[in-house]
Amino acid sequence: MSEFALFLGCTIPVRCLGYEASTRRIAEELGIKLVDLNFSCCGYPLKHVDVVTARSMAAANLALAESKGLNILTICSACSGTLTDAKFNLENDPSAEKVKKELEKQGISYKGGIWVKHFVRYLYEDYGVDRIKEHVKVPLKNLRIAIHHGCHYLRPSEIYDEFDDPEHPKSVREIVEALGATVVDYAGELDCCGGGTIAFNQKLGAALAKKKLDNVKRAGADAIVLFCPFCAIMYDGHQRFIEEQFKSGPYNIPVLFLPQLMGLAFGIDPSELGFEYNAVDVQPLLEKIGERK
Amino acid sequence: MIGVFICECGGNIGDVVDVNEVKESIQKIPDVKTVRIERFLCSKLGLKRIIDSVKKLDLDRVVVASCSPHMHEETFRETIAEAGLNPYLLVHTNIREQDSWVTKDKRKATEKAIAIITGAVNRARKLQPLKETRVEISRDAMVIGGGIAGITAALQLSNSGYHVVLVEKKPSVGGRMAQLSKVFPTLDCAPCILSPRMADVDKSSNITLLTNSEVKKVSGGPGNFEVRVRVNPRGVDPEKCLRCGKCEKVCEVEVPDEYEAGLYTRKAIHLPFAQAVPAAYAIDFENCTRCGKCMEVCPAQAININEEEREETYRVGAIIVTTGYDLLDRGEIERYKVNESTITSLQLERLIENELAAGKVLKNKQGKRIKEVAFILCVGSRNPHKGVPYCSKVCCPYSVKEAILLKKTLPYLRVWIYYTDMRMYGRGYEELYRQAREMNINFIHGKPAEVTADPQTGKLQLIAEDIDTGQIIKNSPDLVVLCPAIIPSGDLHDLAGRLNIAIGEDGFIAEKHPKLSPVSTMREGIYAAGTALGPKDIRESVVDARSTAAKVIEFLGEGYKDISPIKAQLVGECHGAGECVKVCPYNAITLNETTGKAEINILACNGCGACIPACPYHALQLAHYTKEQIMEEVKGLLSVPSEDVKIVGFFGDSTAYPAADAAGVARLNYPPNLLIVRVPSTALLDTDTLIETLNMGADGIMLCENGDTKEGEITEQRVKETQTKLEEMGLEKERIFYQPLAIPAYKSLPYMVETYLSKIKKIGKTQTKTATLTKK
Amino acid sequence: MGSVTFMAESETEKLVVETESLDSSFVRKILKHPGGEQILVCFQCGVCTSSCPLRLISPEYNPRRIVKEALLGMKDLVLSSDFIWFCADCNACTERCPQGVNPSEVMKAIKNIAVEEGIAPPAVKKIVENIEEHGRLYPIEDFTQEEREMLDLPEIEPDVEVFKINKKKLLGEKT
C-alpha cells in the first residue's frame, strides 16, 4: 500500500473542510494511505516579503517529510508550487546557496531524497487513469464539467518536469472523462482565478474570477471542477459577491473539488464528501446524477 | 640553427599568454638562434621579418607559434621557401585555438605555450627537407540540393566549363523559391524568374541532374571524393511522360500536397508543380497502393510502378551543400496554430498563388469572405526558451511583402502586422515598409501571447499590448498568418555527419570563418551556400552560390594537385610480408607481381600511417612524422615540470585536430593539462611509442580519431593491446584511452577532457608509481 | 466650445525624465536578488503583458512597462506603484517570455526590495505576524476544531514551527 505525507497548507484545514474530507475519503477508496505530519505554512505568502525566507520555509517542510521517509502529496496548488519550486531551486539554481545557509543556521538539511507532487498529478502520472476508472460505479453520464486548472498546477512547466502541456493540458481532462462526465471547452480556460490578487485588491481579484464565471456560464457547463482552495474561494465563496459587485450573473454554477466529483462517481454517499461546505448549492447537480442528499 | 617566431595575434594570443616570458624560456633551448615576437605574424610585415631573419641569421629550421596550422601552414611554408629554405623545414604550432582561446588561467596558458613550443623546437630539430609530387584530380563538382542556391552554383560552374552533378531529394528542382508568389522588394513573380534557371539546368550538357536522389556515403578526400548517391524510383520515365494527366485522374490515393504546404491535396502520382523540372509526373511510393490503374491508362507507357531504387557512384573534386530550410513546427507556434484559419506564411504564399492570382476573393473553410488578416512575427524566433535563439531575418520583409500583395489585390482588407522589431535590412526593404504604411497596413508594436478560438463560436481572438500607445488591443481577424522560425532542412544533420563537416550551435553549417571564409566549411573542398548556412533572402543565397562556384573553380584549378610528400615510404628492406597491404584503409599499397615488394600509390595514400606499425620488419616510415620526430616533440611537450597531471593528446588531423580547433573558435574552455600532438592519424602510433610517452612523463594518453573510419578501428584495437601491455607492466590501463572524435562533436570536447582528466587525477602521476617501465 | 488650459511651464518640465535622476543601483539590486537575474535580457516584446490576466481588467497593470521602468532605474516610480502588489503570481508571463526574463520572479524581487525599504501594504504585516506566531496563515480557532471533529477530520496543531522567522527582521523594522 502506498503511503504519503499529506500537505494541506494553511487554508484547507480551516476554510475548505469539504475538500479535505472528500480527499481523505477517496484516498481511502483508492488505497492511498495519507499520513499527517506537523507541517507549517508552505511559505507561499512570504514570497512577497522575502523569497529566500519563503523557500527556506518550504525546504524545511520538505526536510520534515524526508526525515520520515515520506514523499509529499499536496492538494493545494499554491503549496504544490511553493514546495516544488523550492526543491527545483535547491537542485538547479546557484542562488539556492542563500537558502541552504538559512537552513544550516537552523540545523535543517534537505538532501533531495523525497519528492512532492500535487495529488491530482500523482493520480494521473503514477496511480493511473485506468485504475481510477476501475472504481467508477456511477458514471457521471449527464454531467457537463468545466475544468479550472488554475495556475500553479501547470506553471512554470520547467519545475514540473513538463508532465502536462501548460497550453493544452490533458491530465485532468482524462480523469474527468474516466469518471464518465463530458468536459466542456470554454473561452479563457487557462485564466487565473485572481486568488493571488484578492488579498491586496478585492475588487480586482473578483473581477478576474468574474471573467471565468461569465465564460463558463456561456459554455453551459453544469459545474466547475477544481483542485485548489484559493480557486474555490474565488469561484465558490465569492460567487455571490461577484454577482452583487458587478451586477452580473446570476450564475448558480456549483463548484466542486475534483475528489468530490470522483467520490460521486465512485458511488460514495454525498454526506461523506463534505458538500455542506460548498457555498453554491450543489443540490441541482446531485439531482442530475440521480442522487439525493 | 632554429628560429622561433611567436605571434601575439593582435591580442588573441598576447592578451592571455605572456609572450615575453615564453620568449625567455625558449631562448634558453640549445640551437635556438633567435626568438622573435610579432603582433601579426601572418601580415606582410610579419612574413617579411621571417624571411629577413632566415637569411640574415642563416636559420635552417623555423618554428612558428601562432594560430592553428590549418589556418596558415601553407602561407608560412611558402614564406620560408621564399627565403631559400625547404618548405617542410617548418613547424607551425598552435598556441591560439588550442591554448589562448581555450585556457582561462593566464599563468597556465603561458606554461602550456612554453611546453607546446618546446615540443615544436624539438620536432623542428629532427625535420628533413621534402618535395611535393604533382597528381591529377577530378574536375567535376557535386551540388547537394536543387533550390535557388544549388541551381545558381550548378549553372555558374557548368557555364565555366566544369561538369556538375546536381543531387535533389524531391522529384523536381526549384526548392522553396518555387513555392513563393512574389519576391521582395521588387514584387517579381517568383516562379517566372526561377523557371528559366530551372530550364537551363535541364538543358545544360554539363549538368547531370539527379532528382529523387540522396547522398548516402562519402569517402575519399578533397580533389577525389567518392560519393554514393541513392536514386529513389520515380515510377515515371521523364523522357516519355506527356504530362497529359490521365494517370492522375484514375489514382485513388489522395494525400496532403507538400508543394502546397498542406493546404491542398494531390494524388500519389502527381506533377510536383506546373513548372517542374524534370517536366514529368512522379509517384509518391510511400503512399502509392501499387494498384496499377495509372499504368493502364498512360498513353505513352511511361509508368513503371515496379521501378527499383538504384545506387550510383560519382567521383568529384569538390562538393557544395545547398540543402535549404524548413519552418519550425513545434514549441512556441503551438500557442498560435489553433485551427485552419491560423496558417503559416508559406501557406499564405500558396493561398495567394492559388486564390488571389486566380482572381478569387479570399474565403475561409466555411465559405465566409475574409475581411481581416493579422500577421504575427517572431513565432519561435528569438526564443531560446521555446524556439530558436536567433532572428529568422526574412520574416519582417516577407510579411510586409505579403501584406502589400493582399492589400493591393483586395483593397477592402484590414491588414495588421504584429511585430517586436521591424528589421528591414536590405536594399529597397525600408522603402517597401514605407509603401506598406502608405497603404494603411496597420503595424502594432507588441506581440500577442496566443491566438484563441472561442470553443462556442469558433471566432479567433488575439490580445496584444500596443506598446506604442500603451493600450491593450483585442482583435478578431478572419485569418491569422504566423511567421515561424527558419530552421535547417531536416536532413542536414545526417548529411553533415556523412560529409564530416561541422554544424554550428544554431544547427546550420559552421563556416570556416564567419567574416573571412564564409561559404567554406571546415573541410577543404566542401562548401555551402544559401539557407543551409542560416536564414537569408534569395539575393544572399544567389551571392553565396556564386561565391562557392568561384571557390570550387579556384580549388579544382587546372585539374591537378601537387601532392604533399607526407606519405608512407619504404626505408628498410621489404620482405614481402604484405601486412601493410592488408591494413591500408585506402588500398594504397600493393605487392609488385614480379618483385613481390610493396609499392605505395601516393595519390591513393592518405598519409594516415596505419601501415607503419603493421610492418613486422619496421621497414616503413611516414615522411614528416617519423617515430623520432614524434618522440622528440613529446619529450619537449612534457619537459616543463609541473605538480599537475599531464595528458598527452594524439589528435588525428582529419577530424580530431580540427575539432579541437573548432572548440577554440567557439571559445569553449577545457583544462590546460591536455597537451595536443598533431598526427596525421592515430593509427600511426605503435605500442612502443605510446608506452615511451608515459615514460617521458605523461600521466595519461588520449588518442582522438574519427570513430567511423578504419583508422579509428585500428586505433581502438591498438589501445586495447597497449592496455593489456600496461597491466602486464603493473600500470593502470586507464592511462591510455581511445576517444572517437568527429568534427561535429567539438562541443563535447571539454566534457571529454574533464572526464578523462578526473580519471587520471584519481590514479595520480605515472612517475610516482613503480618505475619499472621498460622499453622493448 | 470648451477652453483649453495650458500647463504651467514648471509643470511640463516634470514630464521629462533626466537621466541623472535614474537610479542604476536599482537594477543591480534586482540582479542580485534570486529570480531577478535575467531582467537585463528583456527586449520589450510585450508577450508578458498580453498573457497577464490583469491586462483586460486593469490596463494600467503592465508587467512589460514595470520591467522597462525598473531597467531604466525609475526606482521611486516602480516601488510606489500599487500594481506590483496586484500581480496574481499566475506565472503565465514566465511560461511564455521568449527570453527567459522570468517576470513573475522579477515582480517578487521588486516587492522584496520594497519591503526592505519599508514600503508594504498592511496585509503583508498581518501575514508575517500570523506566520511568526502560529506557523500558519490563519490561526486555528476552537470553532474550526469542532467543525473538523464533526467531519471526522483529525485534530490539528494550532501552532507549528518548522522554520523560525523573525518578523522585525523581515519587515525591516528597527528592533
Side-chain angles (χ1 to χ4, degrees):
Chain A
M1 186 142 109
S2 37
E3 193 177 83
F4 302 92
L6 175 66
F7 196 99
L8 291 170
C10 304
T11 313
I12 293 167
V14 180
R15 298 176 68 174
C16 293
L17 295 176
Y19 191 11
E20 187 183 338
S22 53
T23 301
R24 291 187 191 272
R25 185 63 187 86
I26 64 138
E28 194 189 306
E29 189 75 19
L30 295 172
I32 300 168
K33 183 156 187 278
L34 299 173
V35 175
D36 293 291
L37 299 178
N38 278 335
F39 290 120
S40 74
C41 169
C42 69
Y44 176 83
L46 293 176
K47 286 191 176 194
H48 310 297
V49 177
D50 182 37
V51 165
V52 172
T53 305
R55 281 200 173 117
S56 306
M57 186 163 275
N61 279 295
L62 292 170
L64 173 58
E66 188 178 46
S67 70
K68 309 278 188 222
L70 293 171
N71 291 316
I72 298 175
L73 292 181
T74 174
I75 51 175
C76 167
S77 295
C79 297
S80 157
T82 312
L83 295 170
T84 310
D85 163 82
K87 181 174 194 297
F88 185 84
N89 180 264
L90 281 168
E91 288 168 6
N92 295 286
D93 197 326
S95 78
E97 284 313 306
K98 298 189 178 167
V99 175
K100 288 188 186 140
K101 243 199 339 227
E102 291 302 313
L103 291 174
E104 232 176 81
K105 276 192 219 164
Q106 300 195 16
I108 302 168
S109 97
Y110 168 62
K111 293 180 209 66
I114 54 113
W115 48 253
V116 54
K117 284 189 188 180
H118 194 295
F119 183 51
V120 176
R121 174 182 173 188
Y122 169 77
L123 288 178
Y124 174 74
E125 226 181 11
D126 300 298
Y127 192 84
V129 176
D130 289 329
R131 273 170 80 191
I132 294 173
K133 208 165 180 180
E134 284 167 21
H135 291 264
V136 174
K137 295 195 188 67
V138 183
L140 308 170
K141 277 198 294 266
N142 301 334
L143 285 195
R144 290 166 48 78
I145 301 290
I147 300 174
H148 168 73
H149 288 88
C151 302
H152 297 282
Y153 176 65
L154 295 163
R155 297 192 294 262
S157 57
E158 187 185 40
I159 67 173
Y160 292 118
D161 312 312
E162 280 151 21
F163 81 95
D164 198 359
D165 183 352
E167 306 288 349
H168 304 107
K170 62 177 174 44
S171 53
V172 185
R173 189 185 198 104
E174 283 185 25
I175 295 176
V176 173
E177 282 174 350
L179 302 175
T182 308
V183 172
V184 174
D185 293 317
Y186 59 96
E189 215 163 301
L190 298 174
D191 283 356
C192 167
C193 70
T197 304
I198 202 161
F200 299 102
N201 186 323
Q202 200 189 27
K203 192 159 181 204
L204 212 52
L208 280 177
K210 168 184 179 292
K211 248 187 87 198
K212 180 152 292 197
L213 290 173
D214 286 338
N215 283 334
V216 169
K217 181 163 187 211
R218 204 158 54 88
D222 294 319
I224 293 175
V225 135
L226 42 73
F227 33 94
C228 171
F230 284 101
C231 302
I233 288 167
M234 295 306 295
Y235 298 128
D236 193 29
H238 279 76
Q239 205 170 113
R240 201 86 321 135
F241 172 81
I242 289 167
E243 285 171 359
E244 284 161 12
Q245 183 71 225
F246 301 104
K247 310 279 185 285
S248 61
Y251 301 109
N252 294 320
I253 303 173
V255 177
L256 266 63
F257 293 101
L258 184 62
Q260 288 179 321
L261 192 73
M262 289 171 76
L264 290 175
F266 292 169
I268 296 171
D269 195 276
S271 64
E272 297 181 70
L273 298 171
F275 282 118
E276 58 264 47
Y277 287 94
N278 289 48
V280 175
D281 190 13
V282 302
Q283 190 57 27
L285 193 75
L286 298 179
E287 279 169 17
K288 201 165 182 196
I289 56 173
E291 289 284 335
R292 299 247 174 274
K293 189 173 184 230
Chain B
M1 287 302 142
I2 304 173
V4 178
F5 300 86
I6 304 174
C7 188
E8 285 192 283
C9 197
N12 274 304
I13 295 173
D15 287 347
V16 180
V17 170
D18 182 346
V19 290
N20 289 306
E21 187 181 329
V22 174
K23 175 176 171 161
E24 261 183 62
S25 267
I26 301 299
Q27 202 110 64
K28 297 195 186 111
I29 303 176
D31 327 346
V32 171
K33 187 87 186 278
T34 181
V35 181
R36 287 192 71 98
I37 297 174
E38 290 290 337
R39 196 124 175 89
F40 300 102
L41 198 53
C42 56
S43 67
K44 213 165 170 183
L45 191 60
L47 295 174
K48 185 163 185 316
R49 291 226 177 92
I50 296 179
I51 295 175
D52 288 345
S53 295
V54 168
K55 287 192 179 144
K56 248 190 262 174
L57 301 172
D58 206 23
L59 302 173
D60 56 24
R61 297 287 185 279
V62 170
V63 169
V64 165
S66 62
C67 53
S68 169
H70 283 245
M71 296 290 302
H72 292 309
E73 194 172 45
E74 278 314 304
T75 312
F76 289 116
R77 280 190 180 145
E78 280 160 20
T79 304
I80 66 170
E82 238 186 280
L85 266 190
N86 179 284
Y88 289 88
L89 295 175
L90 166 85
V91 178
H92 181 167
T93 198
N94 188 335
I95 57 171
R96 188 182 76 172
E97 283 87 337
Q98 293 179 9
D99 186 15
S100 70
W101 274 357
V102 294
T103 310
K104 265 209 194 93
D105 183 323
K106 293 188 184 176
R107 169 87 251 129
K108 298 213 163 98
T110 305
E111 280 169 15
K112 186 172 175 180
I114 294 174
I116 290 173
I117 299 175
T118 309
V121 167
N122 278 18
R123 173 177 162 72
R125 216 179 269 124
K126 297 291 174 189
L127 289 177
Q128 294 300 316
L130 299 168
K131 241 179 72 163
E132 287 173 349
T133 324
R134 179 158 287 192
V135 138
E136 303 259 314
I137 55 161
S138 166
R139 286 184 94 230
D140 293 349
M142 177 173 282
V143 175
I144 306 175
I148 182 62
I151 289 171
T152 304
L155 286 174
Q156 189 77 43
L157 282 168
S158 69
N159 290 341
S160 308
Y162 289 78
H163 187 82
V164 180
V165 179
L166 178 53
V167 181
E168 165 56 49
K169 89 175 165 212
K170 293 208 176 66
S172 166
V173 291
R176 293 281 177 215
M177 189 174 169
Q179 290 179 286
L180 303 179
S181 57
K182 309 233 184 307
V183 295
F184 56 80
T186 51
L187 304 186
D188 284 340
C189 155
C192 309
I193 56 176
L194 180 60
S195 292
R197 311 265 161 140
M198 288 165 63
D200 285 344
V201 163
D202 199 25
K203 277 193 291 216
S204 172
S205 52
N206 257 346
I207 300 179
T208 301
L209 178 57
L210 300 173
T211 51
N212 258 12
S213 302
E214 292 170 83
V215 167
K216 277 297 144 202
K217 191 168 192 301
V218 181
S219 48
N224 282 298
F225 289 112
E226 201 173 277
V227 185
R228 206 147 18 116
V229 178
R230 184 175 72 206
V231 181
N232 295 310
R234 190 187 194 93
V236 177
D237 183 346
E239 302 289 308
K240 297 195 181 136
C241 176
L242 300 170
R243 290 177 307 286
C244 64
K246 289 201 170 74
C247 51
E248 199 171 18
K249 287 202 179 70
V250 299
C251 177
E252 289 172 352
V253 176
E254 210 169 308
V255 290
D257 188 343
E258 57 276 276
Y259 172 74
E260 300 289 359
L263 272 189
Y264 307 99
T265 57
R266 60 157 171 80
K267 300 295 183 68
I269 186 164
H270 64 287
L271 185 65
F273 52 97
Q275 307 87 354
V277 162
Y281 274 66
I283 298 180
D284 162 15
F285 279 108
E286 253 177 65
N287 290 297
C288 169
T289 57
R290 302 239 182 358
C291 69
K293 289 203 172 75
C294 53
M295 274 182 78
E296 291 165 20
V297 302
C298 177
Q301 268 112 51
I303 306 177
N304 175 9
I305 57 169
N306 296 311
E307 186 183 335
E308 285 184 7
E309 71 175 46
R310 63 182 198 278
E311 273 196 7
E312 295 185 1
T313 306
Y314 291 90
R315 192 183 199 91
V316 295
I319 298 175
I320 302 177
V321 180
T322 48
T323 46
Y325 68 90
D326 275 337
L327 294 179
L328 185 63
D329 60 359
R330 313 164 277 103
E332 193 182 347
I333 196 173
E334 293 170 48
R335 293 206 310 263
Y336 299 98
K337 215 168 192 327
V338 295
N339 63 20
E340 71 276 340
S341 292
T342 52
I343 62 174
T344 64
S345 45
L346 194 59
Q347 288 175 323
L348 181 64
E349 295 287 328
R350 298 318 309 151
L351 204 63
I352 290 173
E353 279 298 274
N354 285 294
E355 315 277 326
L356 280 192
K360 297 189 212 160
V361 152
L362 287 181
K363 293 203 176 116
N364 65 12
K365 280 259 149 67
Q366 286 76 40
K368 200 177 136 237
R369 187 190 277 218
I370 289 171
K371 296 214 189 77
E372 199 157 340
V373 181
F375 288 80
I376 303 180
L377 286 167
C378 300
V379 177
S381 301
R382 306 177 69 186
N383 189 340
H385 205 192
K386 289 197 170 129
V388 298
Y390 51 83
C391 163
S392 293
K393 195 169 173 183
V394 292
C395 331
C396 284
Y398 79 51
S399 62
V400 168
K401 166 205 81 175
E402 287 172 346
I404 290 175
L405 290 175
L406 288 175
K407 202 82 169 118
K408 241 206 248 195
T409 327
L410 304 171
Y412 61 78
L413 280 179
R414 262 191 114 185
V415 181
W416 305 80
I417 297 184
Y418 288 82
Y419 68 92
T420 303
D421 290 290
M422 280 310 287
R423 295 181 163 174
M424 306 297 286
Y425 61 92
R427 188 174 182 185
Y429 301 1
E430 184 61 36
E431 292 91 318
L432 199 70
Y433 183 23
R434 187 185 164 107
Q435 195 186 332
R437 297 196 306 276
E438 284 171 347
M439 291 170 82
N440 205 8
I441 290 165
N442 298 291
F443 287 89
I444 304 281
H445 174 206
K447 188 170 167 185
E450 55 175 347
V451 174
T452 50
D454 187 297
Q456 271 72 55
T457 64
K459 211 163 80 139
L460 289 180
Q461 190 178 85
L462 345 97
I463 297 173
E465 186 195 1
D466 176 22
I467 295 171
D468 298 340
T469 59
Q471 311 267 23
I472 305 290
I473 305 225
K474 222 202 270 194
N475 197 346
S476 289
D478 306 303
L479 183 68
V480 171
V481 181
L482 308 168
C483 302
I486 286 180
I487 56 174
S489 158
D491 325 303
L492 180 61
H493 201 258
D494 283 341
L495 182 64
R498 291 190 192 122
L499 291 169
N500 215 340
I501 55 176
I503 301 280
E505 289 281 314
D506 55 9
F508 296 94
I509 295 178
E511 288 168 303
K512 186 160 183 203
H513 190 278
K515 292 285 192 195
L516 293 182
S517 290
V519 310
S520 296
T521 68
M522 299 285 190
R523 211 175 160 201
E524 227 201 336
I526 303 185
Y527 309 90
T531 50
L533 291 168
K536 55 175 61 117
D537 59 35
I538 291 166
R539 178 182 197 280
E540 291 169 313
S541 291
V542 170
V543 171
D544 275 2
R546 289 178 168 193
S547 306
T548 55
K551 289 301 287 177
V552 165
I553 290 171
E554 175 193 44
F555 179 70
L556 297 180
E558 303 292 312
Y560 60 77
K561 287 265 164 244
D562 288 320
I563 300 293
S564 147
I566 303 174
K567 303 283 174 183
Q569 43 184 208
L570 218 47
V571 289
E573 177 76 42
C574 173
H575 295 250
E579 291 302 319
C580 54
V581 179
K582 272 191 245 165
V583 88
C584 178
Y586 303 93
N587 299 314
I589 313 183
T590 45
L591 285 182
N592 184 295
E593 277 163 21
T594 346
T595 65
K597 303 244 193 259
E599 282 174 354
I600 300 164
N601 175 338
I602 57 164
L603 181 53
C605 172
N606 203 31
C608 71
C611 54
I612 315 303
C615 177
Y617 300 96
H618 307 292
L620 292 165
Q621 85 174 4
L622 187 64
H624 210 54
Y625 287 94
T626 65
K627 193 161 172 176
E628 196 188 15
Q629 289 163 350
I630 293 175
M631 288 324 311
E632 278 298 303
E633 181 175 351
V634 170
K635 187 151 69 168
L637 210 53
L638 294 169
S639 62
V640 177
S642 158
E643 304 271 287
D644 268 334
V645 293
K646 295 186 192 179
I647 298 177
V648 168
F650 289 106
F651 277 47
D653 205 40
S654 66
T655 63
Y657 194 92
D661 281 349
V665 171
R667 309 295 196 278
L668 305 177
N669 276 114
Y670 53 84
N673 309 62
L674 175 68
L675 301 158
I676 297 177
V677 177
R678 181 186 181 207
V679 288
S681 103
T682 50
L684 165 65
L685 307 160
D686 60 15
T687 301
D688 265 359
T689 308
L690 298 171
I691 294 186
E692 188 60 22
T693 302
L694 291 174
N695 237 345
M696 286 184 177
D699 305 302
I701 301 176
M702 257 177 101
L703 282 93
C704 296
E705 185 52 81
N706 186 343
D708 290 329
T709 57
K710 192 138 174 240
E711 288 93 319
E713 281 163 35
I714 293 170
T715 308
E716 191 172 12
Q717 185 55 30
R718 181 141 310 122
V719 165
K720 285 202 184 100
E721 284 161 16
T722 312
Q723 284 175 335
T724 313
K725 187 117 190 138
L726 285 178
E727 283 181 321
E728 282 170 22
M729 294 163 99
L731 280 171
E732 302 88 339
K733 67 175 170 62
E734 286 85 353
R735 296 205 184 271
I736 181 153
F737 182 64
Y738 168 58
Q739 175 64 68
L741 182 60
I743 297 178
Y746 72 89
K747 294 167 217 169
S748 311
L749 186 63
Y751 173 74
M752 292 168 180
V753 175
E754 277 154 21
T755 309
Y756 186 57
L757 180 63
S758 64
K759 271 198 203 127
I760 296 300
K761 278 195 168 137
K762 270 209 188 92
I763 58 180
K765 289 179 98 52
T766 320
Q767 307 294 42
T768 61
K769 299 287 168 169
T770 51
T772 52
L773 295 171
T774 46
K775 232 162 82 158
K776 205 160 116 236
Chain C
M1 187 128 152
S3 64
V4 179
T5 315
F6 290 94
M7 281 190 268
E9 201 170 297
S10 57
E11 282 179 347
T12 54
E13 276 181 19
K14 283 194 210 129
L15 297 176
V16 177
V17 175
E18 304 263 348
T19 52
E20 280 95 41
S21 71
L22 300 175
D23 183 351
S24 54
S25 72
F26 187 46
V27 177
R28 288 201 292 274
K29 251 188 160 168
I30 296 174
L31 284 171
K32 280 212 273 273
H33 203 280
E37 301 96 340
Q38 294 300 312
I39 189 178
L40 290 175
V41 298
C42 171
F43 60 36
Q44 297 283 296
C45 67
V47 169
C48 52
T49 296
S50 56
S51 298
C52 177
L54 288 171
R55 77 229 183 287
L56 290 181
I57 315 287
S58 169
E60 300 142 70
Y61 185 78
N62 192 324
R64 173 203 57 81
R65 202 180 62 216
I66 292 175
V67 168
K68 185 68 192 234
E69 287 166 353
L71 281 173
L72 284 175
M74 298 176 163
K75 179 168 158 194
D76 294 330
L77 187 62
V78 173
L79 292 185
S80 64
S81 81
D82 296 329
F83 301 109
I84 56 178
W85 302 99
F86 297 160
C87 170
D89 193 26
C90 75
N91 289 315
C93 52
T94 291
E95 187 65 37
R96 292 172 173 177
C97 172
Q99 291 285 299
V101 171
N102 215 332
S104 50
E105 293 302 302
V106 168
M107 213 55 68
K108 290 190 188 99
I110 292 175
K111 279 186 273 195
N112 288 183
I113 293 170
V115 169
E116 273 171 38
E117 311 223 345
I119 305 165
V124 166
K125 201 165 169 195
K126 197 77 187 82
I127 288 170
V128 179
E129 267 167 20
N130 279 351
I131 296 180
E132 186 187 42
E133 207 181 318
H134 305 289
R136 297 178 178 285
L137 193 52
Y138 305 108
I140 308 289
E141 316 277 340
D142 292 329
F143 175 69
T144 308
Q145 299 282 31
E146 280 163 28
E147 283 190 318
R148 293 180 63 82
E149 213 181 331
M150 288 206 312
L151 282 172
D152 285 328
L153 294 173
E155 198 179 315
I156 49 172
E157 269 303 314
D159 292 305
V160 280
E161 191 180 75
V162 159
F163 184 79
K164 286 194 251 306
I165 63 165
N166 184 326
K167 172 186 141 207
K168 287 197 164 67
K169 201 162 151 259
L170 279 179
L171 296 177
E173 287 169 10
K174 310 281 182 270
T175 24

